Amino acid sequence: MTKKPIYKQPLALFFALFIAGMLGFTTLGGWVSVQAKEQTQTQEGTPPKFTKFQDANQLQLSGDGKPFKPSGLNQSEKPYDKDRGVIDWDDRIPMISREYPWSTIGRVQGTTADARSYHCTGTLIGENLVLTNSHCVIDPKTHQLSKQILFLPNLINGVVPSKNDIAFVEQVIYGTNFTNDSITDQINDWAVMKINKPLGKKYGYLGWDSLPSSTLIKNYKKKFFFVGYSGDFPNPNKKGYEFLSAGQGMTAGFQEGCSIVQEQQEVLLHDCDTTGGSSGGPIISLVGGEPYIMALNNAEIMDAATNRGIINLAVKIDFLDRLFAKN
């Protein structure tokens, strides 16, 4: 179950632990711990082409940061049935809606260079573009590239709306390959994946808004919601969750009312509930009633003595402005 952040000591001290090298450990929550068991992919595809951010102007990407809802798709403010609510002290509840904007979020399913299976979270931000973390496509320890990546849109209880909509990733633009210092890698832990199907036309896509950190902290307190395919959620043994029988990480968790609490050295600190598998999940807020990604979840600092989460980390979203300005 997700641990709540602890703020008994100054955040500067916790961040010092991160600078000392904690990122290499905690980031792997999204890489290894989510679904670390050996699996064989039933589909084979051509390995994605990897392009670093500096060379992205060659790709002719298209995006303006505005959200899009298909005319034939209903919109819902809640990702669950109206009679569902918070269970116990875990703030997450299942995202079981097929309506917009929940339809835009899916599971990123990858295969490592040594044939292990893993998963993260991804969000449609264009007709054929999915946003996630760099560490969801490149192993931070070995620097090996994933040999296959799939995007499973709107996966609920292990089921996508249509099997024909499972998409292969053809191209990856990444912010870091984890050969820099820890701070630089943290700041640039993002990836935009080009998939082989225009799923955004059917499922819609989210916009993004790169507001100043001071605005996110002061004006959006408890106004964010977060979605991620956490490897410890849902628990089908819980009352009311029995129907979610596909297993953990096969239905996204949703939390509302979380905050970005600080910025340190260009890194955002937030208090949304996260565990391995939720890497790449969007931190979202409504702007004029429309959903915009405000930050990108990517890691958590751990207290090695107690193995309890201290604070969760996020990447600023302004890299998307720079990326699309190149095209």
Side-chain angles (χ1 to χ4, degrees), residues 235-255:
N235 180 358
N237 295 322
K238 271 193 171 186
K239 184 178 181 180
Y241 286 5
E242 295 87 354
F243 72 104
L244 298 171
S245 57
Q248 295 175 320
M250 291 297 182
T251 302
F254 163 88
Q255 180 191 1

Side-chain angles (χ1 to χ4, degrees), residues 259-277:
S259 305
I260 293 178
V261 297
Q262 275 197 30
E263 176 195 348
Q264 294 194 17
Q265 294 186 244
E266 300 296 315
V267 177
L268 298 178
L269 313 179
H270 70 90
D271 62 6
C272 304
D273 287 334
T274 67
T275 54

Side-chain angles (χ1 to χ4, degrees), residues 17-322:
L17 296 175
F18 160 66
I19 295 172
M22 294 297 290
L23 177 63
F25 171 77
T26 58
T27 302
L28 288 180
W31 186 268
V32 176
S33 68
V34 284
Q35 292 287 321
K37 49 192 175 182
E38 300 290 333
Q39 295 179 353
T40 301
Q41 294 288 354
T42 57
Q43 294 177 290
E44 292 295 334
T46 303
K49 296 179 181 179
F50 283 77
T51 303
K52 58 185 178 181
F53 167 72
Q54 291 83 351
D55 299 328
N57 57 340
Q58 305 171 4
L59 303 180
Q60 297 182 335
L61 301 177
S62 177
D64 60 5
K66 304 297 183 184
F68 167 72
K69 184 187 79 68
S71 58
L73 192 62
N74 292 329
Q75 184 164 347
S76 172
E77 293 183 0
K78 299 296 183 181
Y80 49 85
D81 295 338
K82 62 183 180 180
D83 59 341
R84 295 190 179 276
V86 175
I87 295 180
D88 295 337
W89 53 268
D90 190 339
D91 291 338
R92 297 171 298 176
I93 53 177
M95 189 193 78
I96 54 176
S97 173
R98 298 288 190 193
E99 298 182 340
Y100 182 86
W102 322 110
S103 56
T104 68
I105 303 167
R107 173 169 159 137
V108 174
Q109 184 70 46
T111 304
T112 66
D114 57 355
R116 287 182 299 113
S117 180
Y118 68 91
H119 88 262
C120 283
T121 302
T123 308
L124 285 161
I125 59 169
E127 290 186 359
N128 64 345
L129 298 176
V130 175
L131 176 65
T132 191
N133 290 143
S134 277
H135 78 256
C136 294
V137 296
I138 301 173
D139 189 325
K141 283 192 173 180
T142 67
H143 314 303
Q144 294 291 313
L145 312 178
S146 294
K147 67 178 184 180
Q148 179 173 282
I149 310 169
L150 305 179
F151 179 64
L152 286 64
N154 202 197
L155 185 75
I156 299 173
N157 201 26
V159 178
V160 293
S162 170
K163 291 183 179 179
N164 293 329
D165 291 339
I166 297 176
F168 283 92
V169 173
E170 297 180 324
Q171 184 93 37
V172 175
I173 304 96
Y174 60 89
T176 181
N177 62 357
F178 301 96
T179 58
N180 308 291
D181 63 272
S182 294
I183 294 297
T184 300
D185 286 337
Q186 165 64 30
I187 293 171
N188 294 290
D189 188 12
W190 60 265
V192 173
M193 306 184 300
K194 188 175 182 180
I195 55 178
N196 67 336
K197 299 177 181 180
L199 297 184
K201 290 183 177 180
K202 178 177 180 179
Y203 294 97
Y205 47 84
L206 299 189
W208 68 85
D209 196 351
S210 52
L211 296 177
S213 299
S214 58
T215 301
L216 298 178
I217 295 168
K218 294 178 181 179
N219 298 350
Y220 285 83
K221 187 175 182 180
K222 298 188 181 302
K223 291 184 179 180
F224 293 109
F225 52 93
F226 176 73
V227 180
Y229 285 85
S230 296
D232 68 343
F233 183 88
N235 180 358
N237 295 322
K238 271 193 171 186
K239 184 178 181 180
Y241 286 5
E242 295 87 354
F243 72 104
L244 298 171
S245 57
Q248 295 175 320
M250 291 297 182
T251 302
F254 163 88
Q255 180 191 1
E256 63 179 334
C258 54
S259 305
I260 293 178
V261 297
Q262 275 197 30
E263 176 195 348
Q264 294 194 17
Q265 294 186 244
E266 300 296 315
V267 177
L268 298 178
L269 313 179
H270 70 90
D271 62 6
C272 304
D273 287 334
T274 67
T275 54
S278 63
S279 290
I283 298 175
I284 305 169
S285 191
L286 298 178
V287 179
E290 293 189 290
Y292 284 80
I293 303 172
M294 301 296 199
L296 182 66
N297 174 62
N298 79 315
E300 63 179 3
I301 297 174
M302 300 291 290
D303 182 346
T306 63
N307 198 33
R308 297 184 69 184
I310 300 299
I311 189 67
N312 298 322
L313 310 179
V315 181
K316 290 183 176 182
I317 209 68
D318 58 355
F319 65 84
L320 288 176
D321 296 333
R322 299 192 300 273

